[in-house]
Amino acid sequence: MTNALDHIQKMSPYALADMTAPSGIDLISLSQNESLRPPSPAVLKATTESLSNSSQYPDSDWTDLRIALSGLHNIPSDQILCGTGSLDLISCLARVFSGPERSILAPEHAYPFFKTAAQMANARFDTAPENNGSVCVDALLTAVKPDTSIVFVANPANPTGTRIPKSDLQRLRSNLRPDIILVIDEAYGEFSDPLGERCWDMLNSDNCIVLRTFSKAYSMAGFRIGWGLFPDRIAGEVRKVMNPNNVTLAAQTAALAAVRDQPYMQQTCQITTTLRDQTMRTLTEAGFDVLPSVTNFLLIQFANTAKAKAADAALRAHGIFLRRQQGAGLPYALRMTIGPEPETQTAIAHLERWMQETPK
Ligand SMILES: Cc1ncc(COP(=O)(O)O)c(C=O)c1O
């Protein structure tokens, strides 16, 4: 039998959240940074209506959606590519621009899929230290190697929830070698847009990409649709490795309806950030060390790995699943998605109880 390529045999599969609840207990998942509410009613209506056309292939160029995104963000529609989630675009980029004898660089506590994408492409994965959970531009610049091909930065970052100012990203871009591609992954961008900094104009440099997704603020993780703004040169190459017809008709229809229903998405962000800030205050008052976040999740840091494991186990016993972060180099931390209010309050109550019952 033919064996898998060496680099595939050596890699571990991407670790998704473990969702096995103790038997007889209802699962409360605050582990995947999904939205706290369902997709907008307009999305559900449009998608349902589109299903009867599903005997046909979808538009392989995502035309209507690109035009709507172009209008919304004031960006050129012909530089937009859509993927089966932004994961699809991340792995396409790694395959096209990295590989053996090239490397990918990311911050120390970066979203673990960047490493998986490097491994799938058989590229080396390098990391640069962070400053207390924030991306450090100087450390990234110092960590650049002659074979660095891509730098991935999520902003806001997952799992830390922190954000660096656009001026730092601009400094990173202008001090990186021009042949290195900078990918700014804004999966949580809508939650922090009120800060008023958008990065679309960074594409003027021709070696910068901005990615977004419908999975988070638009409440559409199950549809699997993400997108990005790409310089022409890069878009042309990435298209060659993308599966044709990668985004289903239902997902394209849903995304188009979601873009047209901005008030719903904005309200989701507002409900989420209000509950996030309340949760942050309550957990901090209860004695937890929580990083300030501009996303739909919080990173809770424990004194050591054993305590993080113990808190995780105590919550899991009640069917409440947060997410351990050893994959991001944070074995002493748990990430908590801000879920629907009742589930979030239940998790807070169990965390408070764990804190009271745990010797200092
Ligand atoms: C930083 C970051 N990028 C990308 C993704 C993947 O998003 P999608 O559902 O669009 O594939 C996630 C999902 O959690 C994420 O946290």
Side-chain angles (χ1 to χ4, degrees):
M1 202 187 83
T2 309
N3 290 326
L5 294 171
D6 263 5
H7 71 281
I8 303 292
Q9 288 192 46
K10 280 183 201 139
M11 72 182 274
S12 321
Y14 183 67
L16 287 168
D18 170 9
M19 297 286 204
T20 15
S23 72
I25 294 186
D26 286 342
L27 172 75
I28 294 182
S29 170
L30 303 177
S31 58
Q32 301 206 98
N33 295 348
E34 292 143 336
S35 169
L36 48 59
R37 39 180 209 162
S40 106
V43 165
L44 298 178
K45 182 168 181 289
T47 312
T48 309
E49 284 166 11
S50 80
L51 291 180
S52 59
N53 294 327
S54 293
S55 56
Q56 313 293 302
Y57 283 107
D59 175 1
S60 57
D61 285 323
W62 329 282
T63 314
D64 292 344
L65 178 58
R66 283 190 299 103
I67 291 170
L69 287 167
S70 151
L72 175 68
H73 294 292
N74 196 19
I75 51 178
S77 68
D78 55 359
Q79 288 184 238
I80 294 172
L81 297 181
C82 298
T84 315
S86 50
L87 289 186
D88 186 20
L89 299 170
I90 293 167
S91 58
C92 286
L93 281 163
R95 260 186 293 154
V96 173
F97 292 100
S98 208
E101 289 159 40
R102 295 190 185 191
S103 63
I104 289 178
L105 174 63
E108 183 181 11
H109 303 305
Y111 177 49
F113 189 76
F114 299 150
K115 180 175 181 184
T116 303
Q119 290 174 327
M120 292 194 295
N122 199 10
R124 201 182 67 247
F125 184 69
D126 297 332
T127 57
E130 297 190 15
N131 273 340
N132 192 26
S134 280
V135 170
C136 175
V137 167
D138 292 316
L140 279 168
L141 289 169
T142 307
V144 167
K145 300 276 180 335
D147 64 0
T148 303
S149 52
I150 305 177
V151 176
F152 279 108
V153 175
N155 200 38
N158 172 17
T160 55
T162 58
R163 179 182 201 279
I164 57 168
K166 181 177 173 187
S167 54
D168 279 5
L169 290 171
Q170 286 168 319
R171 190 161 69 80
L172 175 62
R173 179 60 276 168
S174 56
N175 287 286
L176 281 174
R177 285 196 322 265
D179 62 288
I180 297 175
I181 295 173
L182 173 63
V183 182
I184 304 169
D185 176 352
E186 297 189 334
Y188 303 92
E190 288 82 3
F191 294 105
S192 68
D193 269 353
L195 298 176
E197 292 196 313
R198 304 210 165 184
C199 284
W200 312 120
D201 60 334
M202 286 187 64
L203 264 84
N204 297 340
S205 59
D206 197 36
N207 42 18
C208 191
I209 292 160
V210 178
L211 301 180
R212 289 239 169 169
T213 182
F214 285 93
S215 296
K216 310 296 177 184
Y218 286 99
S219 311
M220 289 170 47
F223 280 102
R224 307 304 304 124
I225 178 162
W227 62 281
L229 190 65
F230 295 71
D232 292 333
R233 173 183 74 88
I234 296 177
E237 302 299 341
V238 170
R239 279 259 18 194
K240 294 180 193 167
V241 304
M242 294 178 83
N243 290 331
N245 294 314
N246 62 343
V247 181
T248 63
L249 173 65
Q252 291 192 46
T253 310
L256 181 60
V259 169
R260 290 178 176 157
D261 191 357
Q262 288 298 300
Y264 186 87
M265 182 277 286
Q266 285 157 0
Q267 196 186 33
T268 303
C269 290
Q270 194 248 312
I271 297 169
T272 306
T273 53
T274 304
L275 184 55
R276 176 197 69 206
D277 294 345
Q278 279 167 10
T279 306
M280 162 100 189
R281 276 194 299 277
T282 312
L283 290 179
T284 308
E285 276 161 24
F288 289 96
D289 172 9
V290 188
L291 273 186
S293 163
V294 294
T295 62
N296 67 337
F297 57 86
L298 291 169
L299 191 77
I300 310 170
Q301 307 190 96
F302 292 80
N304 52 48
T305 303
K307 287 213 160 143
K309 261 182 169 169
D312 189 42
L315 268 72
R316 275 172 183 262
H318 296 279
I320 304 159
F321 284 32
L322 309 192
R323 186 87 173 258
R324 295 212 47 219
Q325 291 300 324
Q326 52 283 51
L330 296 161
Y332 50 85
L334 291 179
R335 191 191 64 196
M336 173 176 171
T337 304
I338 302 303
E341 173 135 28
E343 281 88 339
T344 300
Q345 297 300 359
T346 304
I348 293 173
H350 281 278
L351 279 165
E352 286 177 325
R353 188 175 317 157
W354 177 84
M355 185 59 107
Q356 282 156 12
E357 290 170 358
T358 302
K360 289 276 166 300

